[in-house]
Amino acid sequence: MRIGIGYDVHKLVENRLLILGGVNIPYDKGLLGHSDADVLLHAIMDSLLGSLSLGDIGKHFPDTDPCYKNISSLVLLKKVGELINSKGYMIENIDSIIIAQSPKLSPFIDDMKKNIAESLKIDTYKVSVKATTEEGLGFTGKKEGISSQSVCLVEKI
């Protein structure tokens, strides 16, 4: 049994879509990044890669490679899941949290969980996605960005 932790943060900017957990969230700003900047999926990928000491998403999907420009992070998550399986491990659970002052994310959580589970070929009950604010404190509280944290457990098959 192995445990991994992941963290990601992106700045909120105008003229970008807000994609979280592979879901397009209606909002007046989106996250700045080379890919779709999905902080939730990036944190989950880093936790999965970290669980097996495989580095981070920057190692596997560098932002200097044009083939990853504007790519859906669901595509990258699927590749990470395949890598975990190829190493002889299965995902037991993922627990994640999105930190954002706004928008309200609860209406989108079930779709996020479904997207994550489908991409990783696991049951949705193995995926937890939560959202919280920082009560107006820090860069997320001031609506300057969104961050996410994830922890996962993988087990040898």
Side-chain angles (χ1 to χ4, degrees):
M1 162 180 349
R2 310 253 329 212
I3 298 170
I5 187 168
Y7 173 80
D8 195 38
V9 60
H10 284 275
K11 181 179 180 177
L12 280 165
V13 296
E14 294 180 358
N15 301 314
R16 288 276 296 194
L17 295 175
L18 178 58
I19 309 291
L20 296 169
V23 178
N24 186 355
I25 311 292
Y27 196 56
D28 62 339
K29 292 183 179 178
L31 295 170
L32 181 63
H34 185 70
S35 66
D36 61 5
D38 188 327
V39 293
L40 173 60
L41 297 186
H42 292 185
I44 290 171
M45 286 186 277
D46 270 350
S47 70
L48 290 168
L49 291 166
S51 71
L52 296 181
S53 301
L54 297 172
D56 61 19
I57 60 172
K59 174 183 175 181
H60 293 268
F61 314 110
D63 63 7
T64 55
D65 190 332
C67 77
Y68 301 121
K69 181 75 173 157
N70 296 319
I71 194 168
S72 168
S73 293
L74 288 170
V75 172
L76 305 179
L77 180 63
K78 182 178 178 183
K79 290 181 181 193
V80 169
E82 290 167 352
L83 179 60
I84 297 299
N85 293 141
S86 76
K87 298 291 183 184
Y89 282 82
M90 64 183 195
I91 299 165
E92 284 298 328
N93 80 304
I94 296 167
D95 187 18
S96 58
I97 188 162
I98 305 165
I99 302 104
Q101 194 64 35
S102 62
K104 293 295 180 196
L105 298 174
S106 57
F108 308 101
I109 298 280
D110 286 342
D111 287 337
M112 292 178 199
K113 289 172 56 173
K114 182 181 174 205
N115 287 343
I116 294 162
E118 285 178 358
S119 294
L120 295 171
K121 297 183 176 148
I122 61 175
D123 291 324
T124 54
Y125 77 87
K126 292 185 173 191
V127 180
S128 170
V129 175
K130 303 174 297 291
T132 191
T133 70
E134 288 192 310
E135 304 296 327
L137 301 173
F139 71 91
T140 60
K142 294 176 186 170
K143 302 179 187 177
E144 296 171 358
I146 295 177
S147 66
S148 183
Q149 298 176 20
S150 173
V151 64
C152 72
L153 175 69
V154 300
E155 192 162 22
K156 191 81 169 157
I157 297 174

